[in-house]
Amino acid sequence: MAPINGAESLVRTLVRLGVKDAFNIVGLGLFPLAEAFYAHRDEVRYVSALNETNLGLIAAGYARANRSAAFVNVYHASGTGLGMMALTTAWADGVPLVFTTTTSSRALAGRDQYAAVPRAVTEMSGQYTKWSAEIPSADRIPELVERAFQIANTPPYGPVHLAFPMDVWLEQTEDVEQRRPTEVLADVVAAPAAVDRVAELLRTSTHPVMVTGAEVARYGAVEATVALAEALGATVLHEDKIADLGFPTTHPQFAGRLGAHRGVVDRADVLLLLGVELTESGLTRPVEFGDATTVVLSPDPMLLTRQLRPDLAVLGSPRPTLEAVTAALGAVPDEVRDRRAAAARELHEARDARNERIRGIRFDAEELAIGRILTELEAAMPAGTIVVNHCASGEPFVEDLLPYPDTDTFFGISSKASAQGWGGPASIGIQLARPDRRVVALLGDGGFMFSSTAIYAAAQQDLPVVFVILNNGGWRDIGALATVAKSPLVDAEDVMGWTFGDPPIDHAAYAASLGLEGRRVATPGELRAALDKAFADRRATLIEVVNSPEDAHEFSRVFTQADD
């Protein structure tokens, strides 16, 4: 068998692992890797971007949509630094990612020479990764790369970091790995005693409430969660600041976000929290669970008691564990289930009515309001369109005013991740992973500017993402928070540089310069025409929507009021 170099060994390993797309930016010292990818271009699609921040976020979006690890390689220390945002958000939102760095040659390690690293490049990422390692030699590449994918893809999902010394790309080795990759089965049911205990608590409860978190969708447990909720007739809430949607928002037992339903929580006697993040920002009062019996279920041992000291913490994968709980529950008496379900429906109907009131605020105003923007979008987008939600002060409206009967059509970012610039690149990765769907990214103009060059990758790859930029002239959510907090900063937006009016930014013209269809709209008719054209076409489009800067202030006041 003829020897191969380390770069060829890596790409062959990726092919054996079933990797269809790889993310990389070529730099000095990475030519052998680029040559290997080029030689296998019919087996692995090569995806690049204009910087490593965008590249990493595109790869992480791809991994989220696939629910499986993506492979991304960046350039030395500087590329790793730029790619760190992908690692921080992947850690926070449980995204499986194999993040790799081409680093200093082994022969030059410790000499602070070309693209130097003082010690180990993996130290940069250590607190955000599940595991890290530096490849010691070319013959270890198949073993360690397969292990990296196994660790990233084993719940709780998360990123890993491998470092490839640049001389390993050229080191000769044998292509000895011919066997199939190890099959890993990690969907673990909670201990039988835990299943029985949860079932008993729910069976004997008077007012059970279920709270769904991102883990429900992340680990494929939506159907099992719906089945348990229907068996109980329970009211279902969702964690605040939704990343992955754990319950259909159109379901009659869905009442809304946890923070807006403190009264529901106060009345509950059993609260089942399914992979829920209770991330606090310090800006709002945390939810208190009072005398209710609290149960936390998660496959992540770090989550069980990190933000809450529950009465019962259950370690297990949500789908098989909830299926087991439903089976152990037995038949709930019809009159009990129906009474609970009727109370849940009342809350759901109240949510719908409240949302319609909010939608109507300034609906026919001369300047486009968020309720009108989302109404036109809902009417225009095809069934099954995936919504990427990252428009700052507009995010609660995207969660509430658009219906999501299919939880797989929503992607957001959690408060734990909290990163400006995530949405644009993430939507590109999601579209790469879901070519059968259309993706629309709702982005704030301030956040968009953090990673605006990412849209060039959409044009390069000929991806039909529709970017909708809500242009209210700056980081208006800061001023909105100042309004709620009664801070003097409410009058300081211009002084602090939070507005972009002088000189103004023309996002549509910028997009056109990068090869996208760029449209700027300011009226309902212009918006609907632009959306209809965008969804009829199969090319990347950016629609810049001019909307009132007053929206952020007005709607921030609306959403600080709890529903009950």
Side-chain angles (χ1 to χ4, degrees):
M1 185 179 296
I4 57 175
N5 66 25
E8 177 69 17
S9 177
L10 169 67
V11 177
R12 292 190 188 188
T13 299
L14 295 178
V15 171
R16 278 195 289 270
L17 291 171
V19 172
K20 302 299 182 185
D21 298 275
F23 302 84
N24 172 246
I25 296 175
V26 173
L28 205 60
L30 278 71
F31 280 6
L33 181 59
E35 290 169 350
F37 278 126
Y38 184 72
H40 291 271
R41 60 190 179 277
D42 293 334
E43 298 166 283
V44 179
R45 177 168 50 179
Y46 181 87
V47 180
S48 191
L50 295 181
N51 62 59
E52 283 92 348
T53 303
N54 290 336
L55 182 79
L57 291 172
I58 291 170
Y62 178 93
R64 277 188 70 176
N66 272 342
R67 312 291 186 199
S68 182
F71 175 88
V72 57
N73 178 266
V74 301
Y75 172 88
H76 294 272
S78 60
T80 303
L82 285 168
M84 278 297 297
M85 185 173 166
L87 287 172
T88 63
T89 54
W91 165 79
D93 285 344
V95 178
L97 191 67
V98 177
F99 183 89
T100 72
T101 300
T102 297
T103 189
S104 302
S105 167
R106 291 168 297 179
L108 301 177
R111 293 184 182 174
D112 294 348
Q113 296 199 34
Y114 176 74
V117 178
R119 292 188 297 273
V121 74
T122 52
E123 289 184 30
M124 295 173 66
S125 62
Q127 61 185 319
Y128 293 103
T129 53
K130 294 177 67 177
W131 177 68
S132 63
E134 183 165 306
I135 305 295
S137 57
D139 64 298
R140 297 288 302 280
I141 288 174
E143 168 202 345
L144 294 178
V145 169
E146 181 176 341
R147 186 179 177 198
F149 274 89
Q150 175 262 305
I151 292 172
N153 282 329
T154 301
Y157 297 155
V160 301
H161 189 185
L162 293 180
F164 289 88
M166 60 187 295
D167 57 318
V168 165
W169 296 137
L170 288 173
E171 183 178 26
Q172 298 293 294
T173 184
E174 297 292 327
D175 186 17
V176 296
E177 289 287 327
Q178 298 297 331
R179 65 174 180 81
R180 292 181 178 178
T182 301
E183 183 180 10
V184 178
L185 301 176
D187 217 3
V188 181
V189 185
V195 169
D196 291 342
R197 178 82 180 280
V198 174
E200 177 64 17
L201 284 169
L202 295 173
R203 184 185 305 113
T204 58
S205 65
T206 304
H207 298 292
V209 172
M210 296 170 59
V211 186
T212 56
E215 286 187 351
V216 172
R218 190 175 300 154
Y219 301 115
V222 173
E223 187 174 332
T225 302
V226 171
L228 177 58
E230 291 178 346
L232 290 168
T235 296
V236 180
L237 304 175
H238 202 287
E239 67 185 7
D240 297 316
K241 196 71 162 63
I242 300 170
D244 295 284
L245 186 60
F247 204 84
T249 64
T250 55
H251 194 285
Q253 289 171 230
F254 180 74
R257 286 188 301 275
L258 175 64
H261 288 82
R262 298 171 192 269
V264 173
V265 173
D266 289 342
R267 292 189 293 273
D269 64 334
V270 174
L271 282 154
L272 178 59
L273 291 91
L274 305 175
V276 174
E277 278 289 338
L278 298 171
T279 308
E280 296 179 32
S281 66
L283 298 172
T284 57
R285 179 170 58 90
V287 176
E288 297 176 356
F289 297 103
D291 295 329
T293 300
T294 52
V295 181
V296 170
L297 169 65
S298 175
D300 184 355
M302 300 298 290
L303 178 65
L304 295 178
T305 60
R306 184 185 65 226
Q307 296 170 333
L308 172 71
R309 294 177 63 189
D311 296 291
L312 177 63
V314 178
L315 183 67
S317 299
R319 183 192 57 77
T321 300
L322 292 177
E323 289 174 346
V325 168
T326 302
L329 183 68
V332 175
D334 290 347
E335 64 275 13
V336 173
R337 185 185 63 250
D338 292 346
R339 173 181 53 78
R340 293 171 178 168
R345 279 196 302 274
E346 286 184 13
L347 290 168
H348 180 79
E349 290 165 2
R351 174 184 181 270
D352 285 346
R354 177 175 180 268
N355 286 343
E356 286 310 302
R357 290 195 301 272
I358 292 171
R359 184 190 300 271
I361 296 175
R362 302 178 62 252
F363 189 84
D364 293 319
E366 185 174 343
E367 291 181 304
L368 280 166
I370 187 71
R372 185 61 180 268
I373 293 168
L374 295 179
T375 299
E376 298 299 336
L377 175 63
E378 181 183 352
M381 63 186 187
T385 297
I386 293 172
V387 175
V388 177
N389 182 23
H390 201 208
C391 52
S393 54
E395 289 174 20
F397 307 96
V398 179
E399 294 169 357
D400 285 357
L401 301 188
L402 294 178
Y404 301 100
D406 178 359
T407 60
D408 215 24
T409 60
F410 180 93
F411 290 90
I413 185 170
S414 69
S415 291
K416 183 179 173 184
S418 186
Q420 290 275 20
W422 165 83
S427 64
I428 295 169
I430 292 166
Q431 185 70 82
L432 279 165
R434 304 276 183 86
D436 58 323
R437 299 283 191 98
R438 294 302 298 271
V439 174
V440 58
L442 288 153
L443 311 174
D445 56 337
F448 170 66
M449 293 306 295
F450 275 75
S451 58
S452 61
T453 58
I455 63 175
Y456 185 59
Q460 278 186 310
Q461 295 289 334
D462 195 24
L463 300 173
V465 183
V466 179
F467 302 95
V468 177
I469 310 300
L470 303 183
N471 183 358
N472 58 12
W475 294 315
R476 301 293 186 175
D477 55 328
I478 304 297
L481 288 172
T483 299
V484 173
K486 296 181 172 56
S487 165
L489 289 175
V490 72
D491 299 317
E493 289 180 309
D494 293 336
V495 175
M496 302 298 288
W498 299 335
T499 56
F500 310 146
D502 188 18
I505 299 173
D506 191 334
H507 301 286
Y510 172 68
S513 75
L514 295 179
L516 287 80
E517 175 76 19
R519 302 284 298 275
R520 194 169 197 264
V521 303
T523 68
E526 291 173 344
L527 173 59
R528 181 59 186 274
L531 288 168
D532 286 343
K533 185 176 188 305
F535 287 118
D537 291 345
R538 294 292 301 180
R539 61 174 299 193
T541 300
L542 184 145
I543 302 172
E544 178 185 357
V545 182
V546 180
N547 70 304
S548 171
E550 294 304 313
D551 274 1
H553 297 269
E554 185 172 346
F555 289 120
S556 181
R557 288 192 292 270
V558 170
F559 272 96
T560 57
Q561 301 169 5
D563 284 356
D564 52 66

Tab-separated table of all heavy atoms in Angstrom, residues 299-333:
chain	number	residue	atom	x	y	z
A	299	PRO	N	-29.631	15.166	30.014
A	299	PRO	CA	-28.518	14.239	29.844
A	299	PRO	C	-27.187	14.864	30.269
A	299	PRO	O	-26.146	14.216	30.203
A	299	PRO	CB	-28.521	13.965	28.331
A	299	PRO	CG	-29.049	15.229	27.738
A	299	PRO	CD	-30.052	15.758	28.725
A	300	ASP	N	-27.235	16.138	30.689
A	300	ASP	CA	-26.029	16.869	31.062
A	300	ASP	C	-25.926	16.930	32.581
A	300	ASP	O	-26.707	17.632	33.238
A	300	ASP	CB	-26.105	18.289	30.484
A	300	ASP	CG	-24.842	19.092	30.754
A	300	ASP	OD1	-23.949	18.587	31.458
A	300	ASP	OD2	-24.759	20.233	30.257
A	301	PRO	N	-24.976	16.223	33.187
A	301	PRO	CA	-24.874	16.250	34.653
A	301	PRO	C	-24.566	17.631	35.201
A	301	PRO	O	-24.867	17.927	36.351
A	301	PRO	CB	-23.745	15.253	34.951
A	301	PRO	CG	-22.967	15.147	33.680
A	301	PRO	CD	-23.950	15.360	32.573
A	302	MET	N	-23.980	18.509	34.371
A	302	MET	CA	-23.661	19.860	34.817
A	302	MET	C	-24.900	20.738	34.934
A	302	MET	O	-24.889	21.741	35.635
A	302	MET	CB	-22.664	20.509	33.854
A	302	MET	CG	-21.342	19.777	33.725
A	302	MET	SD	-20.446	19.709	35.295
A	302	MET	CE	-19.973	21.434	35.455
A	303	LEU	N	-25.965	20.372	34.235
A	303	LEU	CA	-27.181	21.187	34.253
A	303	LEU	C	-28.083	20.880	35.439
A	303	LEU	O	-28.854	21.731	35.886
A	303	LEU	CB	-27.971	20.988	32.948
A	303	LEU	CG	-29.308	21.722	32.814
A	303	LEU	CD1	-29.098	23.233	32.798
A	303	LEU	CD2	-30.053	21.290	31.556
A	304	LEU	N	-27.981	19.699	35.992
A	304	LEU	CA	-28.991	19.203	36.931
A	304	LEU	C	-29.189	20.115	38.143
A	304	LEU	O	-30.306	20.331	38.585
A	304	LEU	CB	-28.626	17.787	37.391
A	304	LEU	CG	-28.652	16.709	36.305
A	304	LEU	CD1	-28.217	15.373	36.877
A	304	LEU	CD2	-30.040	16.596	35.674
A	305	THR	N	-28.119	20.645	38.701
A	305	THR	CA	-28.244	21.504	39.889
A	305	THR	C	-27.467	22.806	39.735
A	305	THR	O	-27.186	23.483	40.718
A	305	THR	CB	-27.736	20.778	41.152
A	305	THR	OG1	-26.358	20.419	40.980
A	305	THR	CG2	-28.551	19.531	41.425
A	306	ARG	N	-27.136	23.188	38.500
A	306	ARG	CA	-26.298	24.369	38.298
A	306	ARG	C	-27.042	25.670	38.575
A	306	ARG	O	-26.534	26.566	39.239
A	306	ARG	CB	-25.753	24.386	36.858
A	306	ARG	CG	-24.781	25.533	36.583
A	306	ARG	CD	-24.362	25.575	35.138
A	306	ARG	NE	-25.484	25.868	34.271
A	306	ARG	CZ	-25.745	25.197	33.149
A	306	ARG	NH1	-24.987	24.194	32.790
A	306	ARG	NH2	-26.777	25.530	32.400
A	307	GLN	N	-28.260	25.799	38.069
A	307	GLN	CA	-29.006	27.046	38.201
A	307	GLN	C	-30.194	26.932	39.144
A	307	GLN	O	-30.824	27.920	39.470
A	307	GLN	CB	-29.501	27.488	36.809
A	307	GLN	CG	-28.356	27.804	35.860
A	307	GLN	CD	-28.836	27.993	34.428
A	307	GLN	OE1	-29.855	27.440	34.030
A	307	GLN	NE2	-28.105	28.764	33.653
A	308	LEU	N	-30.480	25.728	39.594
A	308	LEU	CA	-31.633	25.467	40.455
A	308	LEU	C	-31.316	24.248	41.301
A	308	LEU	O	-30.667	23.303	40.831
A	308	LEU	CB	-32.872	25.191	39.582
A	308	LEU	CG	-34.136	24.724	40.284
A	308	LEU	CD1	-34.748	25.860	41.083
A	308	LEU	CD2	-35.153	24.194	39.261
A	309	ARG	N	-31.736	24.281	42.554
A	309	ARG	CA	-31.603	23.096	43.407
A	309	ARG	C	-32.969	22.412	43.442
A	309	ARG	O	-33.810	22.706	44.298
A	309	ARG	CB	-31.140	23.496	44.799
A	309	ARG	CG	-29.729	24.064	44.814
A	309	ARG	CD	-29.326	24.507	46.204
A	309	ARG	NE	-29.295	23.379	47.128
A	309	ARG	CZ	-29.137	23.516	48.441
A	309	ARG	NH1	-29.034	24.715	48.973
A	309	ARG	NH2	-29.109	22.459	49.226
A	310	PRO	N	-33.229	21.514	42.505
A	310	PRO	CA	-34.562	20.903	42.406
A	310	PRO	C	-34.783	19.874	43.502
A	310	PRO	O	-33.844	19.433	44.179
A	310	PRO	CB	-34.529	20.242	41.029
A	310	PRO	CG	-33.084	19.869	40.842
A	310	PRO	CD	-32.293	20.977	41.502
A	311	ASP	N	-36.029	19.475	43.630
A	311	ASP	CA	-36.344	18.390	44.570
A	311	ASP	C	-35.876	17.048	44.020
A	311	ASP	O	-35.518	16.151	44.784
A	311	ASP	CB	-37.849	18.355	44.832
A	311	ASP	CG	-38.331	19.622	45.514
A	311	ASP	OD1	-37.980	19.836	46.682
A	311	ASP	OD2	-39.028	20.416	44.864
A	312	LEU	N	-35.903	16.911	42.704
A	312	LEU	CA	-35.475	15.661	42.075
A	312	LEU	C	-34.721	15.995	40.797
A	312	LEU	O	-35.233	16.726	39.954
A	312	LEU	CB	-36.686	14.775	41.758
A	312	LEU	CG	-36.414	13.457	41.021
A	312	LEU	CD1	-35.535	12.539	41.865
A	312	LEU	CD2	-37.728	12.772	40.643
A	313	ALA	N	-33.513	15.479	40.671
A	313	ALA	CA	-32.710	15.659	39.457
A	313	ALA	C	-32.545	14.295	38.794
A	313	ALA	O	-32.113	13.333	39.432
A	313	ALA	CB	-31.342	16.251	39.795
A	314	VAL	N	-32.897	14.230	37.502
A	314	VAL	CA	-32.897	12.962	36.778
A	314	VAL	C	-31.930	13.066	35.605
A	314	VAL	O	-32.091	13.929	34.729
A	314	VAL	CB	-34.303	12.605	36.268
A	314	VAL	CG1	-34.274	11.300	35.481
A	314	VAL	CG2	-35.278	12.513	37.430
A	315	LEU	N	-30.959	12.184	35.564
A	315	LEU	CA	-29.988	12.147	34.473
A	315	LEU	C	-30.452	11.136	33.437
A	315	LEU	O	-30.617	9.957	33.738
A	315	LEU	CB	-28.608	11.755	35.000
A	315	LEU	CG	-27.462	11.748	33.980
A	315	LEU	CD1	-27.167	13.167	33.496
A	315	LEU	CD2	-26.201	11.132	34.576
A	316	GLY	N	-30.696	11.624	32.215
A	316	GLY	CA	-31.125	10.712	31.161
A	316	GLY	C	-31.432	11.469	29.888
A	316	GLY	O	-31.675	12.684	29.913
A	317	SER	N	-31.419	10.781	28.757
A	317	SER	CA	-31.797	11.388	27.489
A	317	SER	C	-33.302	11.647	27.509
A	317	SER	O	-34.079	10.788	27.940
A	317	SER	CB	-31.438	10.473	26.323
A	317	SER	OG	-30.037	10.249	26.292
A	318	PRO	N	-33.725	12.822	27.027
A	318	PRO	CA	-35.142	13.170	27.200
A	318	PRO	C	-36.110	12.277	26.446
A	318	PRO	O	-37.168	11.934	26.978
A	318	PRO	CB	-35.208	14.626	26.719
A	318	PRO	CG	-33.986	14.843	25.901
A	318	PRO	CD	-32.948	13.930	26.454
A	319	ARG	N	-35.796	11.889	25.199
A	319	ARG	CA	-36.788	11.133	24.426
A	319	ARG	C	-37.110	9.784	25.068
A	319	ARG	O	-38.283	9.516	25.398
A	319	ARG	CB	-36.320	10.948	22.972
A	319	ARG	CG	-37.351	10.220	22.105
A	319	ARG	CD	-36.771	9.788	20.765
A	319	ARG	NE	-35.603	8.927	20.907
A	319	ARG	CZ	-35.648	7.641	21.224
A	319	ARG	NH1	-36.811	7.045	21.442
A	319	ARG	NH2	-34.546	6.945	21.336
A	320	PRO	N	-36.127	8.886	25.266
A	320	PRO	CA	-36.496	7.582	25.839
A	320	PRO	C	-36.980	7.683	27.281
A	320	PRO	O	-37.823	6.899	27.713
A	320	PRO	CB	-35.199	6.771	25.742
A	320	PRO	CG	-34.106	7.785	25.661
A	320	PRO	CD	-34.681	8.945	24.925
A	321	THR	N	-36.469	8.673	28.015
A	321	THR	CA	-36.902	8.810	29.410
A	321	THR	C	-38.353	9.260	29.478
A	321	THR	O	-39.153	8.719	30.259
A	321	THR	CB	-35.997	9.802	30.151
A	321	THR	OG1	-34.645	9.325	30.133
A	321	THR	CG2	-36.444	9.978	31.595
A	322	LEU	N	-38.734	10.239	28.648
A	322	LEU	CA	-40.125	10.699	28.660
A	322	LEU	C	-41.064	9.621	28.132
A	322	LEU	O	-42.200	9.494	28.610
A	322	LEU	CB	-40.253	11.978	27.836
A	322	LEU	CG	-39.568	13.202	28.434
A	322	LEU	CD1	-39.699	14.403	27.500
A	322	LEU	CD2	-40.123	13.535	29.806
A	323	GLU	N	-40.621	8.851	27.157
A	323	GLU	CA	-41.443	7.730	26.687
A	323	GLU	C	-41.672	6.732	27.813
A	323	GLU	O	-42.783	6.209	27.988
A	323	GLU	CB	-40.767	7.058	25.493
A	323	GLU	CG	-40.790	7.903	24.223
A	323	GLU	CD	-39.982	7.291	23.083
A	323	GLU	OE1	-39.183	6.363	23.350
A	323	GLU	OE2	-40.136	7.754	21.942
A	324	ALA	N	-40.622	6.479	28.609
A	324	ALA	CA	-40.748	5.546	29.725
A	324	ALA	C	-41.664	6.113	30.808
A	324	ALA	O	-42.470	5.381	31.406
A	324	ALA	CB	-39.364	5.243	30.306
A	325	VAL	N	-41.568	7.411	31.063
A	325	VAL	CA	-42.437	8.046	32.059
A	325	VAL	C	-43.905	7.964	31.622
A	325	VAL	O	-44.787	7.648	32.424
A	325	VAL	CB	-42.020	9.515	32.285
A	325	VAL	CG1	-43.085	10.267	33.085
A	325	VAL	CG2	-40.675	9.585	33.006
A	326	THR	N	-44.154	8.228	30.335
A	326	THR	CA	-45.529	8.157	29.824
A	326	THR	C	-46.088	6.744	29.966
A	326	THR	O	-47.253	6.555	30.352
A	326	THR	CB	-45.575	8.603	28.350
A	326	THR	OG1	-45.061	9.936	28.249
A	326	THR	CG2	-46.989	8.589	27.810
A	327	ALA	N	-45.253	5.750	29.674
A	327	ALA	CA	-45.702	4.360	29.819
A	327	ALA	C	-45.970	4.015	31.276
A	327	ALA	O	-46.943	3.314	31.596
A	327	ALA	CB	-44.642	3.425	29.235
A	328	ALA	N	-45.112	4.519	32.182
A	328	ALA	CA	-45.272	4.218	33.609
A	328	ALA	C	-46.417	5.005	34.229
A	328	ALA	O	-46.961	4.604	35.268
A	328	ALA	CB	-43.970	4.520	34.355
A	329	LEU	N	-46.802	6.099	33.607
A	329	LEU	CA	-47.843	6.969	34.152
A	329	LEU	C	-49.192	6.267	34.221
A	329	LEU	O	-49.955	6.432	35.177
A	329	LEU	CB	-47.950	8.228	33.285
A	329	LEU	CG	-48.926	9.309	33.697
A	329	LEU	CD1	-48.469	9.965	34.987
A	329	LEU	CD2	-49.046	10.359	32.584
A	330	GLY	N	-49.472	5.451	33.210
A	330	GLY	CA	-50.779	4.831	33.131
A	330	GLY	C	-51.815	5.820	32.643
A	330	GLY	O	-51.500	6.946	32.248
A	331	ALA	N	-53.046	5.437	32.668
A	331	ALA	CA	-54.127	6.272	32.149
A	331	ALA	C	-54.553	7.292	33.199
A	331	ALA	O	-54.962	6.921	34.303
A	331	ALA	CB	-55.306	5.408	31.739
A	332	VAL	N	-54.466	8.565	32.855
A	332	VAL	CA	-54.974	9.636	33.712
A	332	VAL	C	-56.488	9.692	33.510
A	332	VAL	O	-56.972	9.654	32.370
A	332	VAL	CB	-54.324	10.985	33.348
A	332	VAL	CG1	-54.940	12.127	34.155
A	332	VAL	CG2	-52.820	10.912	33.554
A	333	PRO	N	-57.274	9.775	34.587
A	333	PRO	CA	-58.743	9.848	34.419
A	333	PRO	C	-59.138	10.956	33.459
A	333	PRO	O	-58.584	12.065	33.496
A	333	PRO	CB	-59.232	10.130	35.841
A	333	PRO	CG	-58.174	9.553	36.729
A	333	PRO	CD	-56.882	9.756	36.000
